[in-house]
Amino acid sequence: MSATAGLILRVLFLAFLYAFLALAMWMLWRSVVSKQVHQGNLAIPSLLLSSGIGAEPKIQSFAGVEVLIGRSLDCDFILEDSTVSSRHARLFYNLNQWWFEDLKSTNGSYLDGIRVEEPIVVKDNDEFYCGDAIFKIFIKPIEE
C-alpha cells in the first residue's frame, strides 16, 4: 500500500469518526430539548391530607409541588398540636413520586412505627405521626 492510499484512508476514517460524533451529539441534544418540553407539561398528582386532631377531622387538598407541614401559620398544612414543630415536615414531588421529609423536628416523624430520618417515597393511604399528631395521605391519580 502506498503512502498516499494510507493517508486517504486515515482522512476518510477521521471524517467518518467526526460525522459519527456529530450525529451522536445532535441526537443527545434533541433528547434533552424534548424532555425539557415534556417536563413543562408534566401533570402532578394532587394530594389529599387528612388529620384527626380536634373534634372534627381536617381534610385539605394540594396541587403544588411542595407542602409544608407544621404548627406555623406559614405552613400549608397546619397541625395544631404542641408536639408538632413549627416547620415539622414537608411533602415534595420529585422523580415522578411524592416524597416525605422530616425537617429536623424536635419530636420526629414516624411511618409504621419507624422514625423518618431521610426523605422517603410516599404511597397512597400512608399514615404518618408528627409528634403525637396523626395524618393520612391520599394521592389522587392523574386523569388523562
Side-chain angles (χ1 to χ4, degrees), residues 11-22:
V11 169
L12 286 175
F13 177 73
L14 283 175
F16 175 74
L17 181 63
Y18 281 118
F20 174 77
L21 289 173

Side-chain angles (χ1 to χ4, degrees), residues 15-31:
F16 175 74
L17 181 63
Y18 281 118
F20 174 77
L21 289 173
L23 178 65
M25 294 299 286
W26 180 76
M27 290 177 71
L28 284 171
W29 179 77
R30 294 276 306 193
S31 174

Side-chain angles (χ1 to χ4, degrees), residues 32-79:
V32 168
V33 168
S34 69
K35 285 202 192 270
Q36 287 176 349
V37 170
H38 293 319
Q39 284 179 347
N41 298 330
L42 184 66
I44 298 173
S46 61
L47 280 180
L48 186 70
L49 300 181
S50 170
S51 172
I53 298 174
E56 226 174 277
K58 176 181 179 179
I59 298 172
Q60 199 169 346
S61 181
F62 300 96
V65 295
E66 183 177 84
V67 178
L68 286 175
I69 300 165
R71 225 179 39 229
S72 174
L73 295 177
D74 67 337
C75 289
D76 302 309
F77 191 67
I78 299 170
L79 295 171

Side-chain angles (χ1 to χ4, degrees), residues 111-126:
L111 169 65
D112 296 330
I114 300 169
R115 187 175 180 128
V116 177
E117 305 224 356
E118 58 187 41
I120 60 169
V121 175
V122 175
K123 63 182 187 312
D124 193 35
N125 288 322
D126 274 349

